[in-house]
Amino acid sequence: MIFENVFNKVYDREVLAKVKFLSTVSLFKGISKKDLLYLLENIYENKYRKGDIVFEEGEVGRALFIVYSGTIGLYKKNDKNNIIYKVKPGEFVGEMAIFEEMPRTLSAVAIEDTSVFMFYKTDLESIITSKPKIAAYLNYNLAKILSQRLRGYIKGEKEIVE
Amino acid sequence: MAIFLSAAFSYILSPIVKFFEVRGIKRSYTVVIMYLAGSIFFIFFVFFIIKIASFDIESFINNWPSYYSNFEEIIKSFISKIEKVFPIISQFNIADKILSFLIELPIYLINYIPYGIFIFIIPFISFFMLMSGAKMFDNVITKVNPRYIEIIFYMVSRIDKTLGRYLRAILSEATVIFIIAFFGLLIMNIKYFSILAFLAGISPIVPYLGAIVAGLVSAIFAYVQYGDIYVVLKVVVFFIAIRFFDDWFLQPYIMKKNVDMNPALVVLALMAGGEIAGFWGVIFAVPVLCIIREIVFILIELQTENFFDKSYKVYVPYT
């Protein structure tokens, strides 16, 4: 009983929830809990209020955004009212920025109060040298995700906007 | 200055706090436990070394007049020999300048003793900085247009990586070199070994110059104590060995301190730091150079992006 009380005082249960959340993200599939903790050390957390612009089309992307809570809406520049896709908790946006810092292809807005994890290309680069095992999983998962998207593109499942 | 040093100290300690924080231990408990552990370490180890060092400083200051006359003799004969070969040097009065500095050396040392209070003040301020943690940064971030948060975190991430790597490496390097020099000079039975080891320990903070000064001062002390060139050679070889150990083993394999800094730029930064803020300017010259260098690189990067080819295809993300 005393031990449980002390444990509850010292231990931050929110961290456990974050690690559990990260383990459900497809990008981190297969990564052990210990390595997820290392990742948690190396990613940035940020909160956006409803209506905040997360990034704009044409800006050079540097980070991948994983939605922890809330929703991010994607839209074409100057057409904020026409949301093309809603990024829900557990989903992520901007994975191409992890490989190459190229201009964003869409703009993003926080549809409600949203909490995100930001994972930068520079962090992936340092993980490649310091923790190759995590990097191998990340790159494998990213390759799978990009492959799925390419398949979708070829099949014409998704709309292509020139 | 105390605030600045405290910020640097808490920055060095922050990865330890973050390590435990992401493993579920609340920040306040981590900081308190870390300080308790640090205090125990301080009492049993650092206090012991400071005690020896303070004894050394006391005897060093008391014995200084006799050492001074020895130095005077050595320096005068050495300079007069040089002046015979190069008469032009005589007009600079080098011997007088060196001797006037040497006579004031104990006073310089005493002047720096009040900074010893920093040993208590810095951890005290750092404690509160560590407790508040990222809240201070978060408060600033909330004032920024959310559109720029991605680039701000990017800059912070890059500066943090370069600076953090450098600062933590330099601290570990200083500790390892101090321990080696402390026991090496103790075994060689060189007087004031703790002061000399401390000098060797802080030498990596001032690249190039620090190592030369530490080796040179130790060699002079060895010569004054024993009057034997063989002992001087032993000390010089010992310091060269430390240098090689540092350059070939410590830095590349253990610390990965390589920040690819141009040596000329480092020397220039040291001179500029000394000119702007004296002693502390020299100490902080390289970390500040790291920050400036990273900011310049990011600015160049941003500038280059303006010329980017923006013709690209857009597709709806598949998630």
Side-chain angles (χ1 to χ4, degrees):
Chain A
M1 189 70 178
I2 298 168
F3 177 77
E4 203 183 320
N5 283 342
V6 173
F7 181 80
N8 284 338
K9 267 194 172 179
V10 175
Y11 197 77
D12 188 357
R13 289 194 184 275
E14 206 188 323
V15 172
L16 202 68
K18 281 177 189 170
V19 174
K20 210 172 166 186
F21 165 77
L22 288 181
S23 68
T24 63
V25 177
S26 59
L27 180 65
F28 303 129
K29 201 178 167 188
I31 297 175
S32 67
K33 191 187 161 195
K34 188 179 145 237
D35 289 339
L36 283 175
L37 288 170
Y38 179 81
L39 276 171
L40 199 59
E41 251 180 286
N42 287 281
I43 55 180
Y44 294 86
E45 203 181 335
N46 193 41
K47 288 182 176 71
Y48 290 95
R49 275 167 300 196
K50 186 182 174 184
D52 280 351
I53 301 292
V54 180
F55 56 76
E56 282 213 331
E57 186 186 327
E59 283 175 357
V60 173
R62 291 182 171 82
L64 174 146
F65 292 80
I66 304 161
V67 178
Y68 180 42
S69 65
T71 311
I72 286 179
L74 301 174
Y75 62 95
K76 279 292 291 169
K77 206 173 187 178
N78 304 326
D79 196 7
K80 206 174 170 181
N81 296 325
N82 184 19
I83 299 292
I84 300 170
Y85 191 85
K86 284 180 181 173
V87 188
K88 300 271 174 57
E91 295 179 336
F92 51 89
V93 64
E95 63 284 352
M96 284 194 293
I98 282 282
F99 287 114
E100 43 177 13
E101 286 168 1
M102 290 286 282
R104 299 275 189 202
T105 52
L106 289 168
S107 298
V109 63
I111 294 178
E112 53 188 308
D113 285 354
T114 303
S115 185
V116 296
F117 290 113
M118 292 155 82
F119 186 51
Y120 281 88
K121 183 174 175 266
T122 45
D123 294 320
L124 177 67
E125 282 164 356
S126 70
I127 286 172
I128 286 171
T129 49
S130 60
K131 298 270 178 183
K133 196 180 146 196
I134 305 178
Y137 273 114
L138 282 173
N139 286 332
Y140 175 66
N141 290 334
L142 273 167
K144 262 200 333 196
I145 291 156
L146 290 173
S147 161
Q148 282 170 359
R149 292 197 179 162
L150 184 64
R151 195 188 304 277
Y153 168 73
I154 292 166
K155 282 182 181 172
E157 283 175 358
K158 297 287 164 181
E159 181 192 0
I160 299 161
V161 188
E162 288 288 346
Chain B
M1 182 50 70
I3 299 281
F4 199 60
L5 287 171
S6 304
F9 186 63
S10 53
Y11 177 75
I12 290 165
L13 292 179
S14 61
I16 304 172
V17 179
K18 184 143 194 204
F19 177 87
F20 287 105
E21 203 177 14
V22 299
R23 277 153 187 84
I25 312 293
K26 284 178 187 163
R27 194 176 188 91
S28 51
Y29 290 97
T30 306
V31 176
V32 169
I33 292 166
M34 199 170 72
Y35 264 70
L36 282 174
S39 306
I40 293 166
F41 174 80
F42 185 80
I43 290 162
F44 284 102
F45 185 72
V46 180
F47 186 71
F48 166 72
I49 286 169
I50 285 175
K51 214 169 156 59
I52 297 173
S54 62
F55 172 75
D56 266 355
I57 290 169
E58 204 183 324
S59 84
F60 171 72
I61 289 164
N62 289 338
N63 293 332
W64 184 243
S66 66
Y67 281 123
Y68 176 75
S69 57
N70 275 348
F71 276 131
E72 193 176 19
E73 207 177 295
I74 294 164
I75 289 166
K76 274 188 175 165
S77 73
F78 181 68
I79 299 283
S80 68
K81 276 177 195 167
I82 295 175
E83 280 174 357
K84 272 178 196 166
V85 184
F86 304 103
I88 196 160
I89 289 174
S90 59
Q91 60 182 321
F92 295 115
N93 291 327
I94 292 171
D96 290 345
K97 280 176 187 167
I98 294 172
L99 290 170
S100 70
F101 170 74
L102 284 177
I103 206 159
E104 286 170 5
L105 190 61
I107 299 156
Y108 281 121
L109 265 177
I110 292 164
N111 284 343
Y112 276 102
I113 287 174
Y115 283 113
I117 197 79
F118 278 5
I119 292 171
F120 301 99
I121 292 174
I122 290 166
F124 182 75
I125 301 172
S126 300
F127 179 82
F128 294 102
M129 285 181 171
L130 284 167
M131 279 290 203
S132 61
K135 277 179 198 158
M136 285 190 286
F137 181 69
D138 289 346
N139 286 339
V140 177
I141 279 294
T142 50
K143 308 279 185 295
V144 175
N145 184 338
R147 247 190 75 187
Y148 301 117
I149 285 173
E150 187 185 358
I151 187 78
I152 289 170
F153 275 129
Y154 175 67
M155 290 173 97
V156 169
S157 156
R158 283 200 37 182
I159 291 169
D160 180 50
K161 278 201 170 55
T162 313
L163 186 66
R165 196 172 54 204
Y166 184 80
L167 284 182
R168 283 182 276 275
I170 214 90
L171 202 73
S172 332
E173 191 184 0
T175 313
V176 173
I177 290 179
F178 170 75
I179 292 168
I180 296 171
F182 186 86
F183 289 107
L185 293 170
L186 177 70
I187 291 164
M188 282 192 273
N189 206 13
I190 305 293
K191 267 189 182 177
Y192 312 117
F193 62 93
S194 56
I195 297 176
L196 298 173
F198 179 73
L199 201 64
I202 60 166
S203 68
I205 297 170
V206 185
Y208 315 116
L209 195 68
I212 294 168
V213 169
L216 205 67
V217 171
S218 302
I220 292 170
F221 271 82
Y223 184 73
V224 171
Q225 188 184 342
Y226 291 101
D228 183 0
I229 201 77
Y230 174 69
V231 183
V232 176
L233 264 173
K234 263 201 323 193
V235 171
V236 170
V237 168
F238 174 63
F239 271 89
I240 290 171
I242 290 181
R243 203 66 254 138
F244 279 122
F245 173 73
D246 185 24
D247 287 345
W248 291 356
F249 183 70
L250 271 186
Q251 289 185 23
Y253 295 108
I254 297 180
M255 288 140 192
K256 294 172 182 159
K257 198 191 78 176
N258 192 1
V259 281
D260 293 329
M261 211 79 85
N262 188 321
L265 207 62
V266 172
V267 172
L268 206 70
L270 290 171
M271 286 162 69
E275 195 65 37
I276 296 164
F279 173 74
W280 296 111
V282 175
I283 299 290
F284 283 101
V286 181
V288 170
L289 179 66
C290 278
I291 297 172
I292 294 171
R293 196 184 77 133
E294 214 51 51
I295 290 172
V296 168
F297 280 171
I298 294 167
L299 289 176
I300 292 170
E301 210 178 284
L302 292 175
Q303 191 63 30
T304 317
E305 281 163 10
N306 285 338
F307 300 100
F308 220 85
D309 177 16
K310 290 188 177 177
S311 58
Y312 49 85
K313 283 183 175 180
V314 180
Y315 63 89
V316 178
Y318 185 103
T319 44

